[in-house]
Amino acid sequence: ANGQVVFSKQGDKYAYYDEKRDLDIFNFDRCNGNFYSRVHIDINDSALGGGAAFSPSGRFLYISSTYYVYQFDMDAPNIEASKTTVAVWDSFYSPQQPLATVYYLSQLAPDNKIYINCLNGTLDLHVINYPDSAGAACGFCQHCIHLPAFNGFTIPNHPNYFLGPLVGSVCDTLHNGIDDVTNTNNSFNLFPNPANRLVYVTQKANVVIRTVEVFNALGQKMNVKYSTIKNNEYIEVNVQSLLPGVYFMNIVTDKEKVVRKFIRE
């Protein structure tokens, strides 16, 4: 249907809304991937479609439902009873009839404001200036963002690139255990380079190499074998099967990932 699904900025809450099935809210366990504690709320208005967005803190959920925008308090003992109407469509058209600026999809932006587009092609967006404030204090402003061109039926939907790992979790929750290293030029040495049959990898730091992979210039992974020699002092990589050309070796340790270029003669 004409609805929207959204996670909270913290990744621990999930909401689903459309005009046919109304609103479902879940808690989400980022460790095991389970949804739980479902709350279903009947909206029961005259919506033709709608959207959903959480406030930056995750405290409030906003539902943009064609002619109304509702706010729900996620910390309330009874979420359904916390429903507050923060906006009613003011019959504005952009730029003229029949292009009504009724509410549709919502999106929390990097500036911590929520922007709402329209269920028509219009020249305006709505904005919630203070979405972490309760009721009218949220600062809902109708058609306050004037656009240089028409927008209709869609709104930017970027993943939350800044979610980061869940502190204290026993699960990885996005973190792969390999931190970015700004200066790794001297961490590893490949020789001989160019190579004909064998390439040896040495490291100056006392680290454990987890994997070694070789890719060609097109990014295709090559089938090569490697082994450790002299009590892990060297990694020996057999490149005899490779065609002459330029290759890249990915060296992954417990602390970093390093890419080295070498030439197969």
Side-chain angles (χ1 to χ4, degrees):
N2 298 316
Q4 189 175 16
V5 296
V6 64
F7 276 99
S8 64
K9 191 175 181 179
Q10 296 72 28
D12 60 348
K13 293 182 177 65
Y14 174 91
Y16 172 99
Y17 173 69
D18 71 46
E19 83 283 8
K20 295 182 182 295
R21 288 173 285 262
D22 291 311
L23 174 62
D24 282 314
I25 305 169
F26 297 85
N27 288 333
F28 179 69
D29 190 322
R30 288 178 56 191
C31 185
N32 59 31
N34 289 332
F35 295 93
Y36 63 99
S37 300
R38 172 179 178 256
V39 174
H40 178 78
I41 298 174
D42 290 325
I43 301 298
N44 287 331
D45 62 14
S46 53
L48 303 174
F54 285 97
S55 67
S57 71
R59 168 74 184 273
F60 296 107
L61 171 67
Y62 291 87
I63 299 299
S64 45
S65 183
T66 306
Y67 303 105
Y68 306 93
V69 176
Y70 307 112
Q71 181 192 75
F72 293 90
D73 188 347
M74 296 297 99
D75 291 345
N78 186 330
I79 295 176
E80 183 173 10
S82 73
K83 175 183 174 183
T84 301
T85 302
V86 296
V88 179
W89 180 54
D90 62 358
S91 300
F92 185 80
Y93 295 87
S94 173
Q96 70 273 322
Q97 293 187 7
L99 302 178
T101 57
V102 292
Y103 316 123
Y104 189 31
L105 302 178
S106 300
Q107 182 69 31
L108 177 64
D111 62 2
N112 287 327
K113 298 181 180 183
I114 292 175
Y115 295 86
I116 302 173
N117 75 342
C118 304
L119 197 58
N120 287 294
T122 72
L123 292 171
D124 292 274
L125 298 177
H126 314 284
V127 60
I128 303 175
N129 288 294
Y130 314 107
D132 268 322
S133 298
C138 72
F140 188 93
C141 190
Q142 304 212 44
H143 45 83
C144 283
I145 306 297
H146 190 69
L147 303 174
F150 283 92
N151 169 272
F153 313 110
T154 186
I155 200 166
N157 181 25
H158 296 289
N160 181 4
Y161 302 104
F162 306 104
L163 180 61
L166 184 62
V167 178
S169 174
V170 297
C171 302
D172 288 340
T173 62
L174 301 184
H175 192 254
N176 60 14
I178 302 172
D179 296 320
D180 292 332
V181 178
T182 56
N183 184 12
T184 58
N185 292 330
N186 299 318
S187 299
F188 297 90
N189 184 36
L190 269 63
F191 69 92
N193 189 8
N196 181 267
R197 188 173 70 88
L198 298 173
V199 175
Y200 294 92
V201 182
T202 63
Q203 69 272 5
K204 292 185 177 181
N206 185 23
V207 296
V208 176
I209 295 177
R210 289 163 49 180
T211 59
V212 173
E213 297 176 324
V214 174
F215 296 84
N216 64 14
L218 299 177
Q220 298 168 323
K221 185 177 178 180
M222 301 289 100
N223 185 18
V224 298
K225 295 182 179 180
Y226 66 93
S227 58
T228 59
I229 58 176
K230 293 191 68 175
N231 296 321
N232 293 323
E233 185 176 350
Y234 298 95
I235 298 290
E236 182 183 83
V237 185
N238 191 327
V239 298
Q240 190 172 8
S241 62
L242 301 180
L243 295 174
V246 176
Y247 293 87
F248 299 88
M249 186 178 296
N250 287 3
I251 306 164
V252 179
T253 75
D254 291 330
K255 297 182 178 180
E256 61 186 347
K257 177 179 178 180
V258 179
V259 180
R260 287 288 179 270
K261 181 171 70 175
F262 70 95
I263 298 173
R264 164 71 164 89
E265 289 184 320

